[in-house]
Amino acid sequence: MAKKWKRVTGVALSFTLLTTSFLALTACGSNSNAGAQDNIIRAYGCEPKNPLVPGNTSETCGGNPLDLLFEGLVSYDGEQGKVVNSVAESIKTEDSQHFKVTLKPGMKFSDGTAVNAESFVDAWNYTANTANAQSGQSFFDKIEGFDEVSKKDATQDQKLSGLKLVDDTHFDITLDAPSATFVTSLVATAYFPLPKAFFKDPKTFGTDAAHTIGNGPYKLKNYVHDSKIELAVNEEYKGADKPQNDGIEFLVYAGSANDAAFADIQSGTLDALETTKTDNYVNNKNDSRIQWKVEVSNNYASISIPGYLKHFGFDEEGKLRRAAISKSLDRKAFIEKIAKGLAVQPTSFSPVSKSISGSVDKIEGNDVLEFNAAEAKELWEKANKISPWESGETFKLFYNGDSGGKEAFDAYANSIKETLGINCVSEGTSDFKTLLHMMADKKVEGAYKDNWQLDYPSIENILQPLFKSNADSNYTGYESEEFDELLNQAAKQVDIDKANALFTKAQEVLIKDLPSIPTTYGYNKGAFSPKVKNVKYNWKGVPDYLRMSKK
Amino acid sequence: MVKYILKRCLQALPVLFGATFLVYGLVFLQPGDPIRALCGQHCPNEAGLDIIRARYNLDKPFILQYLLYMKNLLLGDFGTTFSGRSVSDIIATSMPNTIHLGLIAIAFEIILGVGIGIIVGIRRGSFFDSSILVITLILISIPTFVLGFVCQLVFGMNLGIVPPTVGSSTDFEHMYMPALILATGSIASICRLTRNSIQDNSYADHVRTSYAKGLPRYQVTLRHIFRNSMIPVVTYIGADLGALMGGAVLTETIFNIQGIGNQLYAAIQRGEGTTVVSIITLFVIIFVVTNIVVDILYAVLDPRIRYGK
């Protein structure tokens, strides 16, 4: 008996010893990384969904590092509100359909190889080809020959006929039809060049520091999945965008760990958090440990009402009901109570900003975006005369429940319910992919939250993909000959101002039909360390990390 | 004994298959198209999407998908994520962080849970005993995430005495608060279990006999009360190892610990069947193994229990 007891206590004793020694060991190994004042910006990051390949990245986790690791033909100067040349020396056109591109000589990738016309032509051909299944494919749909390379049975060696290599620093682009905003659209990540190394081994490119080669102001120094993406200054870079810091470290936060990132801003381990929750801002507005940067974002925000919904076809009845719904949304009360002042009343189909070429604060007929209970009721009654709204019918507002839209959509639903006296409820889907699937299959049984992030800084990027007949993201099924014609006319212009005037006219057609009702445009609520200087947003609503400095 | 262990391992097989099948089915039944969600605002055209779907066997019927997955799993291939990373790599890099967290949590459970439990078990009825009873009741009732957020806010952000998040620095200084929070519920339960168990045993016949034959009090307590009292506690701690893995999903998200729980959460969001099932399979294996170990420990602790006869 005694022997056995010894054995048991032996086991128990060694176990406790093990754990306590383990605790002691780990306690000794602890160190703190705060204190040192360097000029490296530690920024909020998240794990990219794909390897770091520009043509296959359509989300910000990968997009933010890529925009610093690569440089395209042109970039957008948000302060002046115009496109400036980057790798391109010049892009010439006489008809907005044929473009002659000249590159600056002597530009290099971080591995020392030249950035030449081939780097662009090969990259674009690769991304456009269906066989490579790249998410940036649709960016090339304006280029001649896209129909061929995007066919179901396209083979990898097929090339866009609209791209012609002239010599090392020259290539020509031919579009299917004129596009006044084509040069502006070239700022998008999908148009970045790719080095020879990519085509040797496309599968491993962008998975680690050794296999990520760009031509931007930074190079990838270290990429630890789920942990951090470290960028260092690229010595091979000869362009104009010289970094004002010694490097950028994207610290990866998993899941929806925005709260964890905010905690790190307060404790000083993180320098830049591009946006945070409204509550965090309201509750910590005067916290001296935080440098706030709040301004209107460039995202379009709306409730779309699909045309396949009963009572909401794109006819007289649908028009009346859409206008009635829009006028019954008490946006002012929403901005004040729910958004805590961090949202603005829409006046057109985009926020007004220098970062959106062609955005205007006045379009004819925009009074439909203002709350007016009496008129809303009147319009609704008019529609009822065409086809009555039965008492048992419910108007549903869908939103994706994973990004905190409940408060807003409950408020909208209440506003509609009270103004029109109809049954209106909000309904959250479990996540965005569920809602997207319903939208794509045209199976949403109500209106739905429809937000849009710009791919290039032009109003066209809202009007064309969301509202042109049969466009990629036109999930409402909206079709208007007049609207399409205005967009086509605008595309033919060489002068961007003339094009923008036509876009405004197109908006005025759109606001009569209201396939999608602008709600309120939100803010970027960025939190930064007080140590960081020169905090600004670029046209994408992403902090301009390159120009930030701690000195 | 060997025969018994073998039998238990064989019994674990249907559990493993059943669990993977169920989980794979649940992920499959999730609404939405994961491939379309992967590319978000921009996607390749339908033909391109089909190429990606074929790459992950998503174009095949459910049963075939599952069988193909299981075939690869049995060959030791956990598959790849939608971003092209190998799942075994992800497990290899994130699992150590979770084990680290779990070990610290278990250490807390043993030191605080068993320690306090023994003290209140011996000094039953005292003021200390009743206050511990009330405190443990409160701790058991507070959900992990509430405690997590509150502690992060108070100790991490407002008082600044502990780092509010873990991130990539997984040393003890960063880990102890999340581990303590992860362990809280179990500490309270173990404390109560130990206390009750000691109390029950204090009135057992053999204890009374020991006193009667003149053994000193400390020897009775050590030899006859503790040893018997530890049987349910050991079982509980063993079974808790699995529960800690599940609880880690919440704790890891709150404190941004780059562990397996965070990976599981992200994979569920992405609708990535292969990753979810691989991680769950691992959890099931851990569960089954710890259960077998606990059962064997049982026999060691309690000579009345004999296996393999």
Side-chain angles (χ1 to χ4, degrees):
Chain A
M1 188 71 170
K3 233 181 183 175
K4 248 182 200 162
W5 180 81
K6 263 183 197 154
R7 202 179 69 199
V8 173
T9 39
V11 169
L13 209 78
S14 54
F15 192 59
T16 15
L17 264 177
L18 207 81
T19 45
T20 39
S21 61
F22 173 79
L23 278 175
L25 266 177
T26 45
C28 291
S30 72
N31 62 336
S32 161
N33 58 358
Q37 175 77 3
D38 48 22
N39 197 14
I40 288 173
I41 308 292
R42 288 171 189 85
Y44 167 84
C46 40
E47 176 67 16
K49 286 186 179 175
N50 283 302
L52 294 169
V53 175
N56 200 26
T57 298
S58 58
E59 35 84 41
T60 53
C61 298
N64 290 353
L66 277 171
D67 286 346
L68 298 161
L69 291 170
F70 285 85
E71 190 172 63
L73 290 173
V74 293
S75 55
Y76 194 77
D77 184 333
E79 267 166 50
Q80 296 183 52
K82 64 171 196 185
V83 176
V84 290
N85 288 329
S86 293
V87 179
E89 174 106 19
S90 71
I91 302 176
K92 292 199 176 102
T93 182
E94 280 161 7
D95 55 1
S96 285
Q97 189 174 3
H98 301 81
F99 297 84
K100 286 190 178 305
V101 181
T102 310
L103 305 182
K104 284 176 186 155
M107 303 289 254
K108 279 178 181 161
F109 282 103
S110 57
D111 65 346
T113 55
V115 180
N116 51 28
E118 227 180 338
S119 321
F120 283 94
V121 173
D122 288 352
W124 295 8
N125 274 323
Y126 183 88
T127 311
N129 197 310
T130 290
N132 298 320
Q134 301 287 296
S135 64
Q137 184 183 30
S138 60
F139 279 95
F140 299 91
D141 59 1
K142 288 177 188 150
I143 298 176
E144 199 182 77
F146 180 79
D147 290 346
E148 290 301 311
V149 300
S150 64
K151 270 190 184 148
K152 209 180 161 114
D153 48 2
T155 50
Q156 250 155 349
D157 54 342
Q158 277 181 296
K159 301 216 153 72
L160 287 162
S161 57
L163 294 179
K164 208 163 265 149
L165 203 63
V166 179
D167 59 33
D168 254 11
T169 50
H170 293 83
F171 70 99
D172 296 344
I173 308 167
T174 308
L175 305 184
D176 274 328
S179 166
T181 56
F182 182 69
V183 175
T184 312
S185 73
L186 292 177
V187 303
T189 315
Y191 293 105
F192 290 160
L194 285 170
K196 285 243 157 31
F198 172 82
F199 300 98
K200 275 183 203 138
D201 191 3
K203 272 205 170 133
T204 54
F205 192 89
T207 52
D208 59 31
H211 293 95
T212 309
I213 296 146
N215 66 327
Y218 292 92
K219 64 181 178 195
L220 192 61
K221 185 179 153 203
N222 192 13
Y223 182 7
V224 187
H225 286 281
D226 299 312
S227 177
K228 58 185 166 185
I229 303 170
E230 276 181 86
L231 312 186
V233 176
N234 177 11
E235 300 88 23
E236 299 279 352
Y237 176 73
K238 296 193 176 64
D241 278 342
K242 288 273 181 280
Q244 301 298 306
N245 45 54
D246 299 336
I248 297 162
E249 219 177 288
F250 288 100
L251 302 176
V252 173
Y253 290 82
S256 47
N258 193 284
D259 284 320
F262 187 71
D264 281 349
I265 286 279
Q266 283 188 312
S267 72
T269 45
L270 192 69
D271 296 324
L273 172 60
E274 52 183 78
T275 193
T276 178
K277 290 179 184 162
T278 304
D279 285 347
N280 281 340
Y281 173 70
V282 175
N283 297 336
N284 300 283
K285 223 189 294 188
N286 303 316
D287 192 329
S288 62
R289 293 172 294 180
I290 305 170
Q291 174 186 179
W292 286 102
K293 183 83 181 166
V294 288
E295 54 186 54
V296 181
S297 77
N298 292 332
N299 296 343
Y300 173 65
S302 75
I303 294 176
S304 283
I305 309 179
Y308 52 81
L309 215 62
K310 198 187 164 194
H311 296 297
F312 288 94
F314 292 111
D315 50 16
E316 191 55 31
E317 189 202 353
K319 253 189 213 180
L320 287 167
R321 291 207 193 274
R322 284 186 164 78
I325 298 274
S326 177
K327 284 192 182 212
S328 63
L329 292 176
D330 192 349
R331 296 179 179 82
K332 286 228 165 66
F334 171 83
I335 292 168
E336 199 183 300
K337 284 179 190 141
I338 307 235
K340 311 275 162 56
L342 295 180
V344 288
Q345 162 83 27
T347 53
S348 67
F349 284 92
S350 79
V352 186
S353 161
K354 267 195 175 165
S355 293
I356 307 176
S357 166
S359 62
V360 283
D361 63 350
K362 240 189 214 153
I363 55 169
E364 208 186 291
N366 67 0
D367 57 309
V368 76
L369 302 178
E370 269 158 44
F371 176 61
N372 189 327
E375 278 180 37
K377 248 192 129 67
E378 203 176 298
L379 288 165
W380 192 260
E381 287 309 322
K382 251 192 204 167
N384 277 347
K385 277 180 192 136
I386 300 171
S387 158
W389 181 270
E390 309 291 342
S391 60
E393 285 179 275
T394 303
F395 185 62
K396 287 183 184 167
L397 299 178
F398 287 86
Y399 61 94
N400 49 312
D402 56 343
S403 64
K406 184 171 170 39
E407 244 187 335
F409 276 77
D410 281 352
Y412 293 143
N414 264 333
S415 198
I416 294 170
K417 194 174 168 180
E418 274 169 30
T419 315
L420 300 178
I422 58 167
N423 205 2
C424 180
V425 292
S426 70
E427 207 169 307
T429 61
S430 57
D431 53 18
F432 178 65
K433 67 175 184 291
T434 313
L435 184 61
L436 188 68
H437 195 75
M438 286 158 70
M439 281 156 65
D441 285 0
K442 302 205 187 302
K443 274 183 188 145
V444 194
E445 288 163 352
Y448 54 84
K449 175 180 172 180
D450 202 356
N451 287 9
W452 184 260
Q453 217 171 358
L454 291 172
D455 297 313
Y456 54 91
S458 164
I459 181 74
E460 188 197 38
N461 187 233
I462 293 173
L463 301 179
Q464 200 270 335
L466 291 180
F467 304 117
K468 202 175 182 189
S469 306
N470 301 318
D472 283 345
S473 300
N474 181 353
Y475 297 124
T476 58
Y478 177 65
E479 276 179 29
S480 160
E481 271 175 38
E482 197 187 356
F483 178 79
D484 290 356
E485 183 51 33
L486 281 166
L487 285 196
N488 291 341
Q489 284 299 326
K492 282 188 195 137
Q493 305 303 314
V494 179
D495 181 358
I496 201 86
D497 291 331
K498 281 186 188 154
N500 282 341
L502 286 162
F503 287 136
T504 306
K505 274 193 181 159
Q507 286 199 59
E508 285 167 355
V509 173
L510 203 60
I511 203 141
K512 284 186 208 135
D513 298 335
L514 275 184
S516 136
I517 301 168
T519 48
T520 60
Y521 301 140
Y523 272 64
N524 293 318
K525 298 161 285 264
F528 300 86
S529 150
K531 281 184 277 183
V532 180
K533 294 187 185 76
N534 206 11
V535 175
K536 283 197 186 88
Y537 286 109
N538 65 17
W539 66 269
K540 282 184 173 177
V542 174
D544 194 348
Y545 295 117
L546 183 119
R547 287 178 182 79
M548 281 184 191
S549 156
K550 281 207 243 176
K551 279 188 178 144
Chain B
M1 194 61 132
V2 176
K3 202 176 148 200
Y4 172 75
I5 295 174
L6 273 177
K7 207 172 101 194
R8 286 295 305 265
C9 288
L10 280 176
Q11 277 171 353
L13 277 179
V15 174
L16 201 63
F17 274 98
T20 51
F21 184 77
L22 272 180
V23 174
Y24 205 98
L26 284 174
V27 176
F28 181 82
L29 287 175
Q30 251 196 19
D33 179 350
I35 296 302
R36 198 174 275 281
L38 179 71
C39 46
Q41 201 162 295
H42 293 283
C43 285
N45 59 15
E46 269 311 317
L49 285 175
D50 283 340
I51 292 176
I52 304 180
R53 285 192 192 109
R55 207 180 284 162
Y56 299 104
N57 291 330
L58 291 171
D59 53 338
K60 300 179 179 68
F62 168 67
I63 285 294
L64 202 60
Q65 273 187 45
Y66 173 73
L67 290 177
L68 280 169
Y69 171 75
M70 282 315 277
K71 189 192 100 192
N72 288 335
L73 188 70
L74 292 175
L75 293 173
D77 175 12
F78 277 103
T80 54
T81 67
F82 291 152
S83 61
R85 290 170 63 197
S86 102
V87 177
S88 28
D89 269 4
I90 289 183
I91 292 177
T93 52
S94 55
M95 200 64 200
N97 290 337
T98 304
I99 292 178
H100 192 160
L101 181 75
L103 280 181
I104 301 179
I106 287 194
F108 276 126
E109 285 178 14
I110 293 170
I111 296 169
L112 293 176
V114 177
I116 299 174
I118 289 173
I119 297 171
V120 295
I122 296 168
R123 304 178 59 185
R124 53 187 169 271
S126 65
F127 175 71
F128 185 58
D129 180 26
S130 0
S131 18
I132 286 294
L133 270 182
V134 175
I135 292 170
T136 49
L137 183 67
I138 295 170
L139 288 181
I140 291 174
S141 344
I142 303 177
T144 315
F145 65 92
V146 174
L147 204 64
F149 278 123
V150 169
C151 288
Q152 185 179 49
L153 185 74
V154 175
F155 300 112
M157 281 144 89
N158 293 348
L159 298 176
I161 48 177
V162 283
T165 63
V166 173
S168 53
S169 41
T170 52
D171 47 46
F172 183 70
E173 185 196 348
H174 285 82
M175 290 286 243
Y176 75 88
M177 187 168 75
L180 195 57
I181 285 159
L182 178 61
T184 306
S186 302
I187 291 175
S189 304
I190 289 172
C191 191
R192 294 188 140 216
L193 196 64
T194 313
R195 173 188 175 273
N196 292 349
S197 183
I198 285 185
Q199 281 187 13
D200 288 349
N201 279 309
S202 305
Y203 298 112
D205 291 343
H206 70 278
V207 173
R208 210 178 43 208
T209 314
S210 311
Y211 278 126
K213 75 179 181 191
L215 269 183
R217 187 183 151 85
Y218 76 94
Q219 277 203 6
V220 178
T221 320
L222 273 179
R223 285 190 187 179
H224 299 291
I225 301 181
F226 279 2
R227 186 176 164 194
N228 284 331
S229 307
M230 284 303 111
I231 297 171
V233 177
V234 168
T235 324
Y236 187 91
I237 294 176
D240 202 41
L241 206 68
L244 283 182
M245 298 279 158
V249 177
L250 280 173
T251 321
E252 286 180 5
T253 325
I254 295 171
F255 294 99
N256 192 35
I257 301 168
Q258 283 133 8
I260 201 91
N262 239 332
Q263 291 292 351
L264 180 63
Y265 176 70
I268 293 173
Q269 278 190 321
R270 288 195 299 264
E272 212 168 69
T274 48
T275 318
V276 177
V277 181
S278 302
I279 295 176
I280 298 281
T281 309
L282 201 70
F283 281 11
V284 172
I285 293 174
I286 293 174
F287 245 115
V288 170
V289 170
T290 46
N291 268 315
I292 295 176
V293 171
V294 164
D295 284 344
I296 294 166
L297 264 182
Y298 236 83
V300 177
L301 284 169
D302 189 346
R304 283 169 297 184
I305 300 169
R306 287 278 176 269
Y307 297 120
K309 271 187 188 159

